[in-house]
Amino acid sequence: MQGVLLLLPDFGLILLGWVLCRVLNVGDPFWSGLEKLVYFVLFPALLFNALARTHIDFSAAAPLFVSGAAAVGCGIVFGLLARPLFGDDASAFASRFQCAFRFNSYIGLAVLGKLHGAAGLAAMGLLIGAMVPLVNFAAVYMLARNGKLGLWREMVRNPLILATLTGFLFSLSGLTLPDTAAHFLGRLGEAAITLGLLAVGAALKLRGSSGSTAASCYLLAVKLLLVPAVALLAASSLGLRGVYFDTAVLFGALPTATSAYILAVRMGGDGPGVAWLISANTLAAMLTLPIWLSIALR
């Protein structure tokens, strides 16, 4: 029940986004533009600000990074094992493969912020920052390989990777953000979570084709059941406690991010199929995420 109550406001924003998308007569271009605003401007600002203002003790955070990497690595390995389920449709596999390990940062930051305040935001921001290059490399590599695109060209154009690397470098430099810049980036970051959750809801596709049912069910099980189980096991084995333990488990249990759809469309992949799988992932997470969160809080 505690997990349900913690997640209720955030899932409420997602459902509100779904309702507003169907009630307000603003058209798809509005929601598409909002999603791009969050992905290319607001969320990178939030990531950079969280990392740039955090003193990173890599020795203390190492077990958290290892737990996150174990969860992501599990999703990548078992996502690759889904290839035979897609038959000859290489584009569908390359596009949906990322749904086995990508994570919705908006939900993670919103929940950890309520649970642990600034410490929760810093811990989740730190883990997100460390994992963003890994998940984007795996996703971009598969799509670039399928579409015969330049891998490194796509990597250096990714706003989340750029924000993460510059945030880490700024933190390590020992410099301090001027108050005006910190407040400006903070305002953008505050907007990122709320608008991001509304955009997630607006992007839900309850109709359409799931493609291979077996492949979709398999990827859902990997992301929502196997990956969080590995995160929980790794966090427990490495002795994580408190905010770092909660961060590792919640990170593993997060549903797939809508950025997977943006990436698939931008790189010529199966956008509609990814959109459907993200929607199924988000809706199923409304049942699984409270359970994993309750386990973490015991």
Side-chain angles (χ1 to χ4, degrees), residues 1-237:
M1 181 57 69
Q2 184 179 4
V4 171
L5 293 177
L6 272 172
L7 291 165
L8 195 57
D10 304 313
F11 281 129
L13 280 172
I14 292 174
L15 293 175
L16 177 61
W18 181 79
V19 171
L20 291 177
C21 180
R22 284 142 186 85
V23 172
L24 297 180
N25 189 24
V26 292
D28 289 340
F30 170 83
W31 293 104
S32 176
L34 177 63
E35 198 169 59
K36 290 178 180 176
L37 174 67
V38 174
Y39 181 70
F40 287 101
V41 180
L42 301 182
F43 191 54
L46 185 152
L47 268 182
F48 174 82
N49 194 39
L51 295 172
R53 300 179 66 186
T54 302
H55 172 68
I56 302 174
D57 183 348
F58 285 97
S59 60
L64 177 63
F65 294 153
V66 173
S67 298
V72 171
C74 168
I76 292 173
V77 170
F78 281 88
L80 289 171
L81 295 178
R83 179 63 185 91
L85 299 175
F86 286 90
D88 296 330
D89 197 345
S91 177
F93 168 69
S95 303
R96 300 190 190 201
F97 160 69
Q98 57 183 320
C99 294
F101 55 86
R102 295 199 77 139
F103 49 89
N104 193 310
S105 305
Y106 313 135
I107 297 176
L109 288 165
V111 175
L112 259 296
K114 287 198 293 289
L115 192 58
H116 292 288
L121 286 175
M124 182 57 81
L126 198 60
L127 184 56
I128 289 171
M131 294 302 109
V132 157
L134 176 59
V135 300
N136 277 280
F137 180 87
V140 170
Y141 172 78
M142 191 61 68
L143 283 162
R145 181 184 177 197
N146 178 72
K148 296 180 174 56
L149 302 172
L151 170 62
W152 295 109
R153 182 174 66 87
E154 293 298 327
M155 290 289 287
V156 298
R157 292 170 55 193
N158 189 291
L160 304 186
I161 292 178
L162 294 176
T164 296
L165 293 179
T166 53
F168 272 127
L169 291 175
F170 192 93
S171 175
L172 294 174
S173 71
L175 298 174
T176 302
L177 277 175
D179 288 342
T180 302
H183 286 307
F184 174 72
L185 292 171
R187 289 288 187 267
L188 293 177
E190 291 168 5
I193 295 177
T194 299
L195 294 180
L197 291 174
L198 289 174
V200 169
L204 290 178
K205 306 294 182 186
L206 304 184
R207 297 179 180 178
S209 173
S210 64
S212 170
T213 302
S216 296
C217 291
Y218 173 82
L219 291 174
L220 284 172
V222 169
K223 184 65 195 80
L224 299 179
L225 299 178
L226 185 58
V227 169
V230 169
L232 176 63
L233 179 61
S236 301
S237 301

Side-chain angles (χ1 to χ4, degrees), residues 247-269:
T247 300
V249 176
L250 180 64
F251 171 82
L254 293 173
T256 304
T258 52
S259 55
Y261 168 76
I262 296 175
L263 184 67
V265 170
R266 191 160 62 85
M267 296 185 68

